[in-house]
Each structure stands twice: as C-alpha cells, then as structure tokens.
C-alpha cells in the first residue's frame, strides 16, 4: 500500500515529471513552499510508513528489525535517487548535525530514561559507570594507538595526531538506538540495563573525549592535562545530571501544584514535552552533556511527574514518547542508509576498493579489540568484589555485552562528519568518512541481525537460572527479612547503637539493596509529599476533554 | 516557576554572559551545535512553557486566552531582545514561510478535522461553502477596490494593481486558529461549525486567489480569465478533497488489514501521524491545497481509522493530536508577537506614525466592511430558502459570525511576507508588512478578547431556545418518525413506487437530514465493512506494551 504513495512521491523527483504538469493552468501553482524540502520530506515520510509496515510484517522474523529494514530501505532509496539523478548525487538531505543532535537524539534518549526500569538501572549503576567511563577511555586509547600504528602501513599518511585521537573517540561511541531494538527489557533485563546504560554514559564520554581532543593543545601536554580532563569529565557528569534532576523535579512540582483539581490532559502533555526538551537545550547552551541531562530528566519524570497527571495523560505520554522516539530512531537509520551512497565523498576519497576495504576492516577489528579489552577484564574485576555467586557476570553474559555493544550508529557518523567534512577537504578525510559509513552499516546489519538469535543460542536455550536475571523483585523483601534477622537477638531490648551497627553491616554486605531501602524511606518521607508520585497524589480518573469521547458519531 | 528557566535562557542571549563561561576549561565546549539555533529554541520553548502556565492560571478569566497571552508574551520577549541587543534586531528567528506552512499549520488543521463534530459540519456544509468561497471573493473585491481608492489619498503611490489585488487576498484570510479558542464547540456548536468551517475553506480560497493574482497576466484580461479562475478553484477543491479522503481511507484500510489481532499502540500511532502528514506534503507537491486535504484526511481518520486501533491508541492519538496542535498554535502567536517588533522593517518603511496609523486603520476598516458585505446579505439569502423558522440564522448570530471572523492571523502575515518581503524592497513594501502586523495584532487582541464576553452578552444571557443550536441529536430520530409517518397510509400494502416518492419528498423537505440518513445506510453497508469504524472492528482492550504499566516502581 505504502509503496504506492512512495512511487508517487518518487515521481516528483525527476525534472521530466516536474514539467509534466505544464499543461495545467499556471494559476495552479498554489504552493508557497520550497519544492526540494517538500520532496525530501515527502520521500522520507513515505519511506518511514513503508518501514513501519514492513517492520510489522517482519515482526515474527527474528533476524530482521525496524533498524535494519530502515537501513536497507534507505540504501535502496539512495540507489533509486542516484539512478534518477544519473549519478549526480544520492541524497535528498545532507547529513545535518543540527537535525540529529537537536531533534532526533533527545527524544530517543529521553524516552529511554522515561521507560527504563529504574530499580534495575540503579542496581547496576557501578557496573554501568565503570563500563561507560573507564571502558570507553580504554577503547579510545586502543583504537587511537591501533590507528596510529596500522594506517601508515596501509598508506594513509596525511592524518595528524589529532585525527588519530579523534578516530579513537569516534569509533568508541556505541549505538544505544539499535541496542534498544535487539535486546529485550523483559527477556534479558540484566543485559539490557547494562548494555543500554553503558551506551548512554558511553555516548557522553565519547563526545567529551572528542571535544577534548579538538580543543587540546598538543604542544603543552603534561600530567596536568590528564588531571584537567578528569576534572572536566566529573564536572560535566555531575552538573548535567543535576540539571536533568532539577528539571524533572520542577516539572513534577509545577504539575502537582498548579494543576491540582483542574486537570487538562492536553496542557499536561504539552508541559511535559516542553519541560523534557528544555533541559536538553539548556544543557547544550551551558556546554554540558545534553544526553545525560535528558536521560536523568526522563527518569525523574517517570518517577514523579507521570504520577501527578490524569489517567489519560499517563497513557498518552507513555505511548507518545515511545512513538516519537521510535519515529526518530527509524528516521536516523533511513537517513544513514540514504547517506551511505554519498557519491561525492566516494569520488573525493580517490581510494581503491582495496584500500577502502583495508581501512574499514582495520577500524572494525580495532572496535572489536577495543571493546574486548575492557569488557572482559573489568567484568572479572567486578566479579572479584562480588561475593554472591549469582550476582557475578558470567562469561556468556560478558560475551553478549561485548557483542551487543559493537554496533556503531548515528553518533559515530555525526562526529565523523564534524571532524572530517568541515576541515579543508583532502582525499584522506573523505576516505575516513566513507570508511566510517562502511563500519556503521556493517556493524549495524551484521551485529543487529545476529544478536537476537545469538542471545537465544547462548543464553536462553540451555538456560540455567541465572539469579542476576531473576532476583529483581525479591531484593527488597529479602532485605526486610535480613533486617529482622539481624535485629532478632536484641528484639526485646532493641537499643539504638545495635541497630545502627546492623545497618552498617548490611550496607557493607548488600550495598545496593540497602541504599535502595534507605532511598525509599527518604523518598516517601521528603520527596513524594512535595513532588508527588505513586500513591501521593489523589487518583484522577480522566480529563474533562475525555468527556467528548462518545460524541463523535457521524 | 517557568520564569526561572526563562530567565536562565534569556541570560544566554547577551554576549557578555556568553563570555562569562570563559573561566571554565576550554575542554568544556561539548556542544556540536549552532549556538544561535539553540538559544532561539531555548527561548521559544521556555516562553511556550510560560504561556501554558499563565494560560492555565488565567483560565477562569474570560477576557484572556492562550493566544492573547502568547501574543503579549511574544511582544514582551521582543522588547527584551531589542533592549539586550541595543536596538539592533528584535527577532531570534526570521518569520519563515516554510516553518509555518510545513510544520505549524498542518497539525492545527488536521486536528481541527480530527476533532470536528462531523454531523454538525456536514449539516451546515452549504452555508460553509457559500461563506467560504463566495464570501471570500466578495471580501477580496471590496478590500482590493477600497485599497485602490484610498491608498493614493493617504500618500501611498508606488503600489501597482497586482499589489492592490494581493492586499485584497491577504486581508481576506481569516484566522481559524484563534477562532478555535474563543468559540466553544459545546456552548455554541452552530456558530463554531460555521465560523470554523468557513475559516478552513476561506484559507484555501485566499491562498488560491493570492496565487492567481501573482501569476495572472494583467495585459490580457478577458471574460475567459474569470472562467479559468473558477475552473481552477473547482479543480483544486475537488482534487484536494479527494486526496485527503483517499489518504484517510488508505490509513484505515492498512491498520484494519495488517494490524488485525497484533496491535501495537506505538506503531499504530506512528502510522497515523505519518499518514496524516503525508497527504499534506503530497498535496503541496502536486500544487493542490494542502489545507483542504489534511482537513478532510482528519475527518476520515476520525471516522474510520480511529475506531480500528486499540483503546490506548485512541486515547493517545486524540490527546497527542490536540496537544501538538495546541503547541503549534501557541508557537505561532508567540512567533507573531516577537516578529511584530521587526525593527528593520519599521526603519525601512520610513513612514510617519500618522501614515502608518492611517494605513492600518484603513485596512482594518476595509476588513470590517468586506466581511459585513457578505455575511449579512448571504445569511439573509440563505434564510429565504429555509422554511423552518428555527433553522434560520438570526441577526444576533449573523453579528457573532461577522465579529468572530474578523481576526487576522499567521496566514495573513505569511502571505504578506511572501508578497512584500521577497520583491525588491521599497519603503512602501515595508510599510505594507508593518501595517499587516498592526492589523493582525489589533484584531487578534481586540476581537480575541472581546468575543467570549460578547457571545455571553448577545446570545447566552437572554437565551431563547434557538433550535439550530439544540436540534443536533434528534434529527435522525426525527427523520425515522417522518419516514414512518409518510409510509403510514400505505403501511399494509407498502409498494415500492410510493416509498420512492416519499423518499424524494423527504429529500426536498429535509435535504441534509435525508442525505445523512442515506449516507449512514451506504456507510454501514459498503464502507465500514472494508475500512472499519465504530462497531465494525472487534474491541481491543489494550496493547501489549500496556502490560508494563505497573512495573515501573523505583
């Protein structure tokens, strides 16, 4: 069905067809718009429709998913455009960093924060931070060094040290978008939270590293530089998080205070969208990491704000945020697919197919090694600190974490364009961009389609009860039992110091569970009364606008 | 609360404040984005938040509404920007026709079609078409002639005949956006459907007239030109409507056929958004009227597609479309408010305050006369054809229809920029733009704030039971009774010719009700089995994603 519209839209692309309307009276030119924009939008929206329909039809197919469908459909559309324009240019829209970072990425990351299982996420917070920060730095170093050593042997000589380091940062940015599609939050919650959480922190780390490389003065490097870098990162991490938390709490407070008793679904939803987007812009304006900000804003909004609105607002926000994020994701893959055939770049690079393949495979190999170099060692170090056998990350799980994080996506492409397209164009810069595109396409298509079957084969088929995947809901209950047990001997003469000692003992033996328990107590006592949240706001069945529901008969 | 963010966002505007971050390490420059875009977006989103909050607080106030709040807030923001930039320039974003016609107008018009009471709308279809088409042409002629006669006396001499006709078209475009806010679909359903329906058709007519004027060859005007113009208009009207209907039916068919039994709220919602937007783009691409297309697409979608999706999709689409439309509306008024202080244009116009006031008041007076010249005569002509006293449009209602349609809005501004900003700049072109802005501001603020109290004073206070406002739900029942009655004498030997004769008699005496009755029969027999719709699709309680609802505790 949708291909019909698609064809109609594509027809508009040919100059021949444009002039075929000439027989209509000239007064027909009722359009005030820029035709090329309309054509580009038309094609993109038609392709998006096609992606959704095809993705739905392939839902039962475990190898395919919407990302890969979009990527392939984008490639096909690129070929068609290339043929229609007779090899002149393949893309309707140039890859724009503004479009990507301002409009497409924020809804995806916000929705991830909004829908993430918060308990699970914070339980694995140490692991996520370790992988996301240290891991990315390790990967960055290995890829940079690898590029430095190997590229000269292949014959790429004009890149300087800044370019090498930039490639390290560019190739360290994993793709959190496709990960969301191949990992299931319900089937493998532990892996999902680790890989996805790492992806968010990793994106932020990569972007900070990338920017540091660009602004660093390589003539005066000393020990102080590294220290300054660490300070910068910590500053960015904490201020960005704080901004996100503050914006989320502000939205909860406004809706709880102002809208009490006079709910309007449309206003509530509008306010939530705007207040979700605003901190991202503010963070970018203050040169913080917008990704981290919007992610934590999403978490706070789902914990407080979401419970302060009407039932219909809850349903609307939940699905609307998910849908916007889904459209943005599909759009990105379509975009990357269409941009892959950027014929100008391929011509500019002047590289033989052999060189191009050598560079791309070297980069992908470095990505593989760079990721392996931190996942396995760091996971084993973490295992040493875990006393409970079931909380350890098993080798099979490590393998899946390694594999699922290999995908490179739109962040990589955006950074690559930023580094190599804006500077004075040399054939080797163009070669870097085309190689990046090849790595992104290859990793997304191969890793993306293999991950689901791989998880089934490795983890789910011969499934042993891995408790780290199962013990999610019992932990709080467990803790209460532990608290009772440890308090049991002194139960009759329950004095204060003994209790405090037992709390401390628990904090050491079950750190995350204990922190969660005390957070809940703090949340119930101080936070929820002010900011609302589950059970702290009277239930509002539906908004007044909902009353018009059954009056729409024709 | 929101003003805090607002202030923070405004701080970023001053160059002084931008450089106050200099003490931070240079690695902090984590932003890859165009700073001016981020600042503009930040300010706009903060102002939108402020509008919603202030609009909510003023809800009880019958003089104010969100449009006027947005307009005034935009003006204030313009003043602040002007002061910060020391009088250099007042706007963060230039008024862009692409932004307005591509992204802001379509969701508003689509939502209007989606939420309109279809029965009421089609019942008044003749009146709407008469006012929207003939009325606009009358208004266009009167304003053009008035401008032609008066402007030379004021001292504006450089405008040619094309400019005069263009002003006629520009000033004939009523604002359907503010109308939606001041008229209530529940309190005054008849007036709402007339004024709003007329607004949609009127926008289309004005744009066609405007484009006709721009492309017309004034050296060869003959009787054939007028005929060609009518032909063009009919062609545009019917093809645009057909495209909208086809796109709506296609979406209903796809969702009914493909998604049957495997519903996914996010996919359904995504498909509905995309398939609502696509026909607008297609219409613009084919040089049809996108406004008409997207309006009828909205009507079909609410009649068929909306009933084919899950319960949560219904709630989500209903509120999400309304919210998007609401944000777009508020954004437009904010935009117009900020753009009003376009200091460059004011300087360029070189006109004294007196000339400027004279031109603006002349234009507004012509708008008043132009609208009066078709509302009262056409309404009285219509009344002559109505036999039932209660179906006639009373003088008080005529007065409200006249008054509520006086507002001029973003379409007027967009057309004015198109005519006078793109051509070679002359002081008098700039004067036309500033005068248009004054008319828009004045009419929106005055008419917008007075309409609600006026309706209360004129119609609701000394309310007589005006049946045209009340007989909405009984008409079908009425018809069944009529059918029974007319069939009554031949009830025992009910032969076919007598029945047909009685149907024909009914069609003549109750045309709209009869058409509605037969449409319902046709709809139930042929349309709904194919395209779905109320009662023709099994009820789907909720989507699978809804299952995660109660697992989001922290």
């Amino acid at each position: 069905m949708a291909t019909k519209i698609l064809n109609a839209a594509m027809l508009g692309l040919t100059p021949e067809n444009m002039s075929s309307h000439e027989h209509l009276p000239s007064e027909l030119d009722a359009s005030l718009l820029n035709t090329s924009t309309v054509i580009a939008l038309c094609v993109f929206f038609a392709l998006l429709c096609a992606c959704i329909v095809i993705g739905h039809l392939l839902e039962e197919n475990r190898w395919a998913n919407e990302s890969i469908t979009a990527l392939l459909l984008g490639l096909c559309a690129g070929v068609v455009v290339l043929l229609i324009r007779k090899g002149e240019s393949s893309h309707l829209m140039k890859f724009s960093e503004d479009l990507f970072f301002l409009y497409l990425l924020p809804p995806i990351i916000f929705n991830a924060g909004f829908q993430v299982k918060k308990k699970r996420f914070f339980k694995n917070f140490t692991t996520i931070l370790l992988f996301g920060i240290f891991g990315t730095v390790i990967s960055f170093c290995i890829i940079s060094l690898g590029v430095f050593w190997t590229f000269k042997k292949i014959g790429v000589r004009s890149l300087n040290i800044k370019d090498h380091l930039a490639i390290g940062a560019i190739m360290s940015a994993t793709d959190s978008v496709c990960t969301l599609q191949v990992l299931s939050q319900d089937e493998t919650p532990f892996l999902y939270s680790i890989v996805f959480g790492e992806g968010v922190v990793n994106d932020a780390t990569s972007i900070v590293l990338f920017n540091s490389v660009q602004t660093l003065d390589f003539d005066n490097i000393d020990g102080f530089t590294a220290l300054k870098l660490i300070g910068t990162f910590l500053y960015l991490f904490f201020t960005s998080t704080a901004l996100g938390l503050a914006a989320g709490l502000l939205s909860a407070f406004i809706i709880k205070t102002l809208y009490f008793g006079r709910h309007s679904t449309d206003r509530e939803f509008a306010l939530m969208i705007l207040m979700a987007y605003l901190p991202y812009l503010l963070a970018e304006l203050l040169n913080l990491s917008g990704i981290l900000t919007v992610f934590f804003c999403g978490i706070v909004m789902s914990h407080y704000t979401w419970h302060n609105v009407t039932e219909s607002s809850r349903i609307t926000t939940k699905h609307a945020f998910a849908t916007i994020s889904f459209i943005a994701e599909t759009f990105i893959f379509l975009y990357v697919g269409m941009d892959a055939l950027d014929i100008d770049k391929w011509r500019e690079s002047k590289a033989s197919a052999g060189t191009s393949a050598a560079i791309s495979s070297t980069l992908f190999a470095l990505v593989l090694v760079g990721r392996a170099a931190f996942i396995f060692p760091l996971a084993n170090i973490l295992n040493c600190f875990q006393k409970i056998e079931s909380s350890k990350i098993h080798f099979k799980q490590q393998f899946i974490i390694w594999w699922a994080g290999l995908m490179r996506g739109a962040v990589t492409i955006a950074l690559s364009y930023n580094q190599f397209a804006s500077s004075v164009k040399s054939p080797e810069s163009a070669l870097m961009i085309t190689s990046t595109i090849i790595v992104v396409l290859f990793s997304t298509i191969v890793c993306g389609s293999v991950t689901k079957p791989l998880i089934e084969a490795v983890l789910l088929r011969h499934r042993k009860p891995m408790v780290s995947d199962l013990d999610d809901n019992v932990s709080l209950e467990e803790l209460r039992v532990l608290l009772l047990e440890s308090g049991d001997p002194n139960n009759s003469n329950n004095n204060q110091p003994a209790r405090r000692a037992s709390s401390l003992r628990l904090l050491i033996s079950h750190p995350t569970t204990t922190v969660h328990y005390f957070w809940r107590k703090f949340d119930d006592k101080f936070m929820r009364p002010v900011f609302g949240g589950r059970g702290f706001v009277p239930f509002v069945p539906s908004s007044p606008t909902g009353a018009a529901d059954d009056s729409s008969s024709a």
Side-chain angles (χ1 to χ4, degrees), chain A residues 147 150-151 154 171 353-369 434-436 438-440 442:
Chain A
V147 166
T150 54
F151 272 26
I154 297 170
M171 286 294 155
T355 320
S356 202
I359 293 279
S360 309
S361 46
T362 310
L363 283 177
F364 191 63
L366 287 170
V367 167
L368 287 174
V369 174
T434 54
S435 307
T436 314
I438 293 176
V439 171
V440 168
F442 181 81

Side-chain angles (χ1 to χ4, degrees), chain A residues 129 232-245 288 292:
Chain A
L129 284 187
T232 306
F233 184 81
L234 289 177
Y235 167 82
L236 275 184
F237 187 86
F238 285 106
T239 44
S240 304
T241 307
L243 181 62
L245 298 178
L288 304 175
L292 278 174

